[in-house]
Amino acid sequence: MSSIPFSFELYPPRTAESTRALHDTIDRLAEAGPEFISVTYGAGGSTGGRSLDVLRYIRTHTDTEPLAHLTCVGNTYAGAARLIREFLDAGVLSFLALRGDPPAGQSEDDVFLGDLESSAQLVQLIDRVQAERAPYEESPVRGNPGAVRVAPRRKVNIAVAAFPNGHPRSAYSSQHVDALLAKQAAGATVAITQLFFHPDHYLAFVERARRAGVTIPILPGIMPITSPARLARVLELTGEELPSELAIELEVEPTTEGRRRIGIRWAADLIRAVVDGGAPGVHLYAFNQHETVLDVLQSAGVIPARQLSAASKGTP
């Protein structure tokens, strides 16, 4: 299983101290060899500047592809276009186009500032903004001052979200599949699922999506759940059904380290099952820490123990 591609999601830091800790986490995760590291954007664009700082760090200090989250809620075409150009100028060529969550204190029923109605429209906008830039890129020729080498500009990668158990706002049972089809038609190149707790949820969703005509890769999004509090928060945010067996195990385990081992085992088992079922890779929600997700990948056989040892060297 060691050839399975993997990737991570992080969120922007809130303080200078957490920035230093996040840079260390990025370095450790990058050493493991992920396909990309994504950085969330925040409800209503509340962390846009800090997101760009993290993306720049990934771009300049590692060999890993940075992937920028972009949201529709609270954004206009003009505002989103400016932000996309800023990301492109920073060398970011991979995006995750999302509708986004309401800003703090607002609900789905509120009228938001913005005219982007769906992530499919955002996918199209990302493509359009890049197309308006120069269709080629120049690089200097060593030993020939003033000479440049011209090559076609690399096309952006655009990921979108997928919902194995349906979107909470879906009006009918197959709307989340139809929405994914619309995102694919708009130009999406890959989908990343919201978390799920049972492999059949992912595998059955992929089968339904393929029957409907979805052809882009669908990466399973997997989150190690290492405490009852985290599980409760995740269920509140996603609307997923309570995974009773995991919940009971976490509740009856008295130690923090024991709960961590339970979460790692559950996530590793999930990875093995979806990969055996044909998943093209795995995407892990890292909570801005490297130890747990790297332990999950080692336990699942995705990275070898010696690679994990190198990645975790110096970890307290």
Side-chain angles (χ1 to χ4, degrees):
M1 192 181 285
S2 58
S3 62
I4 294 299
F6 58 92
S7 52
F8 304 108
E9 177 181 295
L10 303 171
Y11 54 84
R14 294 178 175 84
T15 66
E17 184 178 351
S18 59
T19 296
R20 289 189 292 271
L22 181 58
H23 288 173
D24 180 63
T25 287
I26 290 169
D27 294 342
R28 303 286 193 253
L29 294 177
E31 287 173 7
E35 293 290 300
F36 60 86
I37 296 175
S38 73
V39 182
T40 64
Y41 187 61
S46 59
T47 57
R50 292 193 294 272
S51 296
L52 184 54
D53 290 341
V54 177
L55 292 161
R56 284 195 178 111
Y57 183 88
I58 297 168
R59 182 78 174 82
T60 58
H61 290 82
T62 77
D63 294 326
T64 301
E65 178 87 2
L67 184 147
H69 289 215
L70 286 173
T71 58
C72 297
V73 169
N75 224 336
T76 63
Y77 274 100
R82 283 194 299 271
L83 187 60
I84 293 163
R85 282 192 288 269
E86 191 173 6
F87 284 145
L88 291 171
D89 289 343
V92 176
L93 293 171
S94 294
F95 297 88
L96 175 58
L98 301 164
R99 182 181 181 274
D101 298 319
Q106 292 186 288
S107 73
E108 289 294 336
D109 297 327
D110 293 329
V111 177
F112 298 117
L113 171 67
D115 47 18
L116 282 164
E117 298 174 358
S118 70
S119 53
Q121 291 180 355
L122 185 54
V123 170
Q124 292 175 321
L125 181 60
I126 294 169
D127 258 338
R128 189 179 310 130
V129 170
Q130 196 200 27
E132 291 169 353
R133 297 161 64 87
Y136 57 86
E137 55 189 15
E138 298 178 351
S139 57
V141 179
R142 186 175 298 177
N144 291 278
V148 295
R149 181 178 292 107
V150 177
R153 186 178 294 278
R154 193 189 119 190
K155 187 172 172 59
V156 290
N157 300 311
I158 307 176
V160 292
F163 300 87
N165 293 314
H167 194 281
R169 293 187 298 273
S170 291
Y172 53 92
S173 61
S174 62
Q175 186 175 4
H176 57 302
V177 175
D178 292 343
L180 184 54
L181 272 170
K183 297 172 191 178
Q184 175 179 276
T189 56
V190 64
I192 302 172
T193 76
Q194 181 179 266
L195 68 88
F196 54 92
F197 295 104
H198 301 286
D200 286 347
H201 293 175
Y202 167 80
L203 297 173
F205 169 71
V206 171
E207 184 178 349
R208 291 196 304 274
R210 296 294 182 235
R211 285 201 306 264
V214 175
T215 58
I216 59 175
I218 301 175
L219 292 176
I222 293 175
M223 180 184 295
I225 304 294
T226 55
S227 72
R230 176 168 293 178
L231 177 59
R233 179 60 175 159
V234 163
L235 296 177
E236 177 187 352
L237 291 173
T238 63
E240 289 292 307
E241 292 184 8
L242 175 73
S244 55
E245 292 182 13
L246 174 59
I248 291 169
E249 283 197 55
L250 291 173
E251 285 290 350
V252 301
E253 170 55 48
T255 68
T256 299
E257 182 54 34
R259 289 170 172 171
R260 181 176 178 273
R261 286 196 298 269
I262 290 168
I264 289 171
R265 173 170 52 80
W266 266 80
D269 288 347
L270 199 53
I271 287 175
R272 282 190 290 268
V274 296
V275 168
D276 288 346
V282 291
H283 183 68
L284 284 88
Y285 300 100
F287 284 102
N288 284 20
Q289 298 176 347
H290 55 276
E291 296 96 336
T292 297
V293 289
L294 291 176
D295 283 350
V296 167
L297 290 175
Q298 179 193 344
S299 181
V302 175
I303 60 174
R306 59 181 177 82
Q307 186 173 351
L308 179 63
S309 298
S312 298
K313 193 174 182 180
T315 300

